[in-house]
């Protein structure tokens, strides 16, 4: 089950990166987006030819909804395996959660105020590579990051998200595992965090 859970988390992690890229692009172009999690994922998987080895978890829209008749594709989209590996437990977990409907909430947009040129350069230069510096950051920078992460997610689907931080090199904050600004466990978790990020 551990392998299945890891592969499922990779699918969700990939979706998070895709949605983040869309959100960043929308921010650069002064557009609002809405994330949609409640839709017929299984039918869309089938229509896109993903068989049971790739899984759609979310979508994003910019602009408003329009009533439109939807028809099926005329030709079947051929399946191309993206991973060369497959675990049946991953499929079971996906099917079990794909049709669950989230509690609903009022749509709320995050209010960011980043310097767009700096933000663009940061994303463009870093891309998706992991280039961690061994230096530390200030407590004020760390707190500002937490404030940004806790802003609203633009969706009507509500799932409670609790954010934990593994703090290792923040000036003025002792190393450990934190929930918000409360340390719940003391220690250096850099090896475990590195393992979780890569695996």
């Amino acid at each position: 089950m551990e392998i299945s859970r890891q592969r499922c988390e990779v699918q969700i992690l990939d979706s998070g990166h895709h949605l983040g890229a869309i959100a960043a692009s929308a921010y650069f172009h002064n557009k609002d987006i809405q994330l949609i999690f409640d839709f017929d994922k299984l039918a869309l998987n089938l229509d896109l030819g993903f068989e049971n080895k790739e899984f759609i978890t979310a979508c994003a829209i910019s602009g408003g909804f329009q009533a439109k008749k939807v028809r099926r594709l005329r030709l079947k989209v051929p399946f191309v395996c993206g991973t060369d590996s497959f675990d049946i437990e991953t499929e079971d977990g996906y099917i079990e959660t794909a049709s669950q409907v989230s509690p609903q909430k009022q749509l709320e947009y995050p209010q960011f105020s980043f310097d767009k040129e700096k933000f663009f350069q940061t994303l463009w230069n870093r891309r998706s590579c992991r280039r961690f510096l061994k230096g530390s950051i200030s407590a004020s920078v760390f707190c500002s990051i937490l404030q940004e992460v806790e802003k609203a997610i633009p969706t009507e689907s509500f799932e409670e998200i609790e954010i934990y931080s593994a703090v290792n090199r923040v000036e003025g904050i002792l190393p450990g595992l934190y929930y918000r600004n409360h340390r719940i466990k003391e220690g250096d978790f850099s090896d475990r965090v590195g393992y979780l990020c890569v695996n």
Side-chain angles (χ1 to χ4, degrees):
M1 186 61 184
E2 192 61 35
I3 292 172
S4 167
R5 195 175 304 119
Q6 287 173 355
R7 287 194 182 144
C8 228
E9 288 166 1
V10 167
Q11 289 283 336
I12 294 167
L13 181 64
D14 287 347
S15 296
H17 283 117
H18 297 151
L19 293 174
I22 293 167
S25 179
Y27 181 71
F28 292 136
H29 296 283
N30 300 312
K31 303 283 185 190
D32 284 328
I33 62 165
Q34 181 177 349
L35 305 181
I36 311 291
F37 298 101
D38 295 331
F39 58 93
D40 192 344
K41 299 175 188 82
L42 299 177
L44 189 54
N45 271 0
L46 190 63
D47 284 347
L48 293 177
F50 286 168
E51 293 186 356
N52 60 348
K53 297 173 184 69
E54 294 285 337
F55 308 114
I56 291 175
T57 57
C59 65
I61 63 163
S62 181
F65 283 103
Q66 248 181 327
K68 189 173 181 179
K69 186 173 174 156
V70 178
R71 67 172 175 78
R72 304 209 70 129
L73 297 172
R74 287 188 201 98
L75 300 172
K76 182 175 168 47
V77 177
F79 173 73
V80 177
C81 185
T83 60
D84 292 331
S85 64
F86 177 66
D87 185 345
I88 192 70
E89 290 178 7
T90 303
E91 179 186 10
D92 294 343
Y94 178 75
I95 290 171
E96 187 177 322
T97 60
S99 57
Q100 292 177 359
V101 178
S102 303
Q104 299 297 292
K105 71 172 182 79
Q106 180 77 30
L107 180 62
E108 186 181 348
Y109 294 101
Q111 300 301 312
F112 298 117
S113 57
F114 302 125
D115 176 308
K116 288 192 179 174
E117 183 55 34
K118 278 186 180 176
F119 188 49
F120 177 80
Q121 290 304 323
T122 299
L123 292 177
W124 185 256
N125 291 325
R126 184 181 182 276
R127 301 194 179 182
S128 64
C129 66
R130 291 186 175 96
R131 256 187 256 142
F132 298 117
L133 303 175
K134 293 292 184 183
S136 59
I137 62 172
S138 69
S140 63
V141 168
F142 176 73
C143 290
S144 68
I145 292 169
L146 276 185
Q147 284 177 340
E148 296 300 325
V149 168
E150 290 178 346
K151 288 188 176 176
I153 296 171
T155 182
E156 293 176 339
S157 302
F158 178 73
E159 295 291 343
E160 190 69 38
I161 298 174
E162 294 182 326
I163 298 171
Y164 291 82
S165 305
V167 174
N168 292 312
R169 289 183 293 275
V170 178
E171 296 165 6
I173 301 179
L174 295 171
L177 186 62
Y178 285 76
Y179 175 65
R180 294 198 169 115
N181 60 352
H182 304 291
R183 188 171 59 169
I184 56 177
K185 192 166 186 177
E186 185 178 344
D188 182 339
F189 294 94
S190 53
D191 287 343
R192 287 187 186 179
V193 170
Y195 172 79
L196 290 171
C197 286
V198 176
N199 295 316

